[in-house]
Structure formats: structure tokens, C-alpha cells
Amino acid sequence: MTATAPIPQQSPSARLSAAPAAYPAPMYPHKATEEQHRERRIRSFQPRRGRMTNAQASALDRSWETYGVPIDGTPLDLRELFGGLPVTLEIGFGMGETTAAMAAADPSMGILAADVHTPGHGNLLGMLERDGSQNVRLAAGDAVILLRDMLPDASLAGLRVYFADPWPKPKHHKRRLVQASFLDLVLPRLAPGALVHCATDWEPYAEQMLDVLSASPELENLHPEGDGTGWLEPADHPDGSIPGYAPRPDWRPVTKFERAGIAKGHVVHDLLFRRR
């Protein structure tokens, strides 16, 4: 009998950065996501596999099996995954600096961090290794599939959407993540008292976020009277506040991306709502 040669296994970094032709999003370790990602639906993101550094690829290969969660439609047991910690879902963590800093500052909160940017996964894994943080899991792929198919109702203690793509052209506004249809998907997954925290440096998107979140009777604005920081001219708001927006909480670090936006004259808006 002729022995069958074992099929070589790709490393996590190779699997995470590979994609079949015409596939609209990164291919992650479980190919069960392919059909789900191919469904006809307007996406709020563009696939960004990008070029990984050696350090990012090495971190993926060392730590993906420990920290990584493939978005493959399989329901998650968050209590088991995070050892009973309350869990906040963060959608779009970029290169992971904010996620790593918040995880290190509050190890009592689990963070399920979802993104499609493979170098960002490697970068965040390297920072988690450096800090020794054990309260983060990285979800690789489309957050809509994660919310719709994998998270139980009332399972989240919070939702964070920081500096999501603002899709500034009017013809692309339909691609913005925070809109009524997205909120319909999110609300059942939020436990009573869950904190919804959004931040953006694109003022028209901030206005849309405020409209969408304020329209839900299931959410309470924690800063209905404004932030008191005087973002608008005093003649427009003599009290120095913008109704509905929140001051930046101490727990949200200022990122390099945010500082670059401020340097361009952008105004950063935070929104804090609580699930009733």
C-alpha cells in the first residue's frame, strides 16, 4: 500500500492574507464564510489585505490560534471564550493601538475586536503579546455576519465603532456602517445597560450617527445637553455645547489617525448611548 503524503498546512498568516479571484473580502481560516461573503449585500468596508511586515506575520503565526476567531457563521459562546467577562464588540480596530491600550487599562472587560485588515490583526496581536493582555479576541471578517449569525441575543455589554469609514461621497452614503438597518441588527445583541460608543472626525457622519441612535426608543443618550467644549461658534451655541454629543471619555485614547484628522481641522465627535 502506498502511503499518502500529508497535505501541507498553511500558516495562519498565509491563510489570512490569501483570497480567491473575485472574492470580495479576505479569506480567513474557515472557508465556510465564502458563500456568506458572496451574498448580494452592500458592504460598509473595502477588502484591505495589504502587505504585512515580518513582525506582523510572525505575530499571526504565533498567536492566531490563541486569540483568533474566524467569522464563519458558527455561534459563539462568549462566556466560554472570555472566561465569564462581560464583552464589548469593537468593529473596525485599524492597526489596533486603541484596542490594545483599552484592553490593558481594563482587564475586567472582554473585547471582541472585528476587522478585515490583515496587517492590523498582526499588529494588534503583537501588542497583545507585548502587554500580556488575555481579554481580547480578534474576529476576522464581516461584522454583519458576526452579529447576525454568531452572537446570541443580549450577549454584549457594549459596542464600539471608532472612526469607521465615513464614505464622504453622497453616492456612497449607503455604505456607511451606522444606519437604521445596522442598528436593527445590533440592538437585540445588546444586554440592558450596554454602552454604545461611536466616534468620528467627519461631521456629516457624526450627524447621521446622532440621528440614527437618537431615533431608537431603546437607546438613551447619556449627553443630551452636549459636551460643553465649544466646538461651534458661541453665537450658534452660547452655552458652548453641541446638544447630543459627548466629551471624549478618559478611557478612549487619542489615536494617531485622530491626531492627523485634528491637524487637518477636523472636529472629533463622540456619542455615548445606553441600552435601556
Side-chain angles (χ1 to χ4, degrees), residues 2-3 8 17 22 30 51 55-56 68 76 83 86 94 96 122-123 130 142 148 178 181 207 213 224 258-259 274:
T2 304
S17 57
H30 292 263
R51 182 185 296 274
Q56 291 162 358
L76 293 176
N123 203 60
R130 176 200 66 198
D142 188 341
R148 186 189 65 200
V178 181
S181 58
E207 293 170 355
L213 297 175
E258 184 176 355
R259 285 192 290 270
R274 177 169 288 144

Side-chain angles (χ1 to χ4, degrees), residues 14-20 23 25-34 49:
R15 296 200 309 268
L16 283 161
S17 57
Y23 191 65
M27 175 61 72
Y28 293 98
H30 292 263
K31 292 188 177 181
T33 59
E34 181 171 358
R49 288 178 293 281

Side-chain angles (χ1 to χ4, degrees), residues 154 156-157 187-196 213-224 272-276:
L156 296 174
L187 283 172
R189 276 71 183 173
L190 298 177
L195 187 67
V196 177
L213 297 175
S214 298
S216 172
E218 298 178 70
L219 293 175
E220 173 192 8
N221 191 342
L222 298 185
H223 293 269
L272 286 171
F273 283 72
R274 177 169 288 144
R275 178 75 157 87
R276 296 183 192 275

Side-chain angles (χ1 to χ4, degrees), residues 203 229-242 267:
E203 194 154 16
T229 57
W231 282 334
L232 294 185
E233 294 298 323
D236 297 326
H237 289 280
D239 63 353
S241 67
I242 302 179
V267 176

Side-chain angles (χ1 to χ4, degrees), residues 64-94:
W64 174 256
E65 300 303 331
T66 299
Y67 291 93
V69 176
I71 295 181
D72 61 359
T74 303
L76 293 176
D77 184 336
L78 295 184
R79 177 167 292 276
E80 179 180 356
L81 192 61
F82 287 91
L85 295 178
V87 177
T88 288
L89 172 63
E90 181 178 353
I91 299 178
F93 57 79

Side-chain angles (χ1 to χ4, degrees), residues 20-264:
Y23 191 65
M27 175 61 72
Y28 293 98
H30 292 263
K31 292 188 177 181
T33 59
E34 181 171 358
E35 182 178 349
Q36 293 165 318
H37 279 294
R38 284 186 184 276
E39 66 182 335
R40 295 187 180 276
R41 174 164 51 83
I42 294 172
R43 298 295 193 279
S44 63
F45 61 88
Q46 289 180 318
R48 296 190 304 141
R49 288 178 293 281
R51 182 185 296 274
M52 283 189 292
T53 66
N54 290 335
Q56 291 162 358
S58 295
L60 276 168
D61 291 339
R62 286 192 305 270
S63 296
W64 174 256
E65 300 303 331
T66 299
Y67 291 93
V69 176
I71 295 181
D72 61 359
T74 303
L76 293 176
D77 184 336
L78 295 184
R79 177 167 292 276
E80 179 180 356
L81 192 61
F82 287 91
L85 295 178
V87 177
T88 288
L89 172 63
E90 181 178 353
I91 299 178
F93 57 79
M95 296 305 289
E97 297 96 337
T98 296
T99 309
M102 295 178 76
D106 184 8
S108 67
M109 174 63 71
I111 302 175
L112 180 58
D115 207 302
V116 296
H117 186 43
T118 307
H121 282 86
N123 203 60
L124 176 53
L125 284 171
M127 289 185 286
L128 296 177
E129 292 176 339
R130 176 200 66 198
D131 298 339
S133 297
Q134 300 296 315
N135 55 325
V136 181
R137 295 295 180 268
L138 281 63
D142 188 341
V144 168
I145 295 174
L146 176 65
L147 280 161
R148 186 189 65 200
D149 300 336
M150 300 176 65
L151 296 181
D153 286 352
S155 61
L156 296 174
L159 172 72
R160 296 171 184 160
V161 180
Y162 296 158
F163 303 98
D165 194 330
W167 295 100
K169 294 181 180 179
K171 67 179 181 180
H172 290 152
H173 287 180
K174 62 187 177 183
R175 295 184 178 274
R176 288 175 173 172
L177 178 66
V178 181
Q179 51 185 301
S181 58
F182 172 73
L183 196 61
D184 289 342
L185 189 62
V186 167
L187 283 172
R189 276 71 183 173
L190 298 177
L195 187 67
V196 177
H197 186 191
C198 299
T200 180
D201 66 332
W202 193 257
E203 194 154 16
Y205 196 12
E207 293 170 355
Q208 176 176 322
M209 289 177 173
L210 182 58
D211 288 344
V212 169
L213 297 175
S214 298
S216 172
E218 298 178 70
L219 293 175
E220 173 192 8
N221 191 342
L222 298 185
H223 293 269
E225 301 305 319
D227 58 17
T229 57
W231 282 334
L232 294 185
E233 294 298 323
D236 297 326
H237 289 280
D239 63 353
S241 67
I242 302 179
Y245 296 112
R248 181 183 65 82
D250 292 340
W251 69 76
R252 183 179 72 74
V254 177
T255 67
K256 289 187 290 185
F257 177 88
E258 184 176 355
R259 285 192 290 270
I262 293 172
K264 296 175 183 177

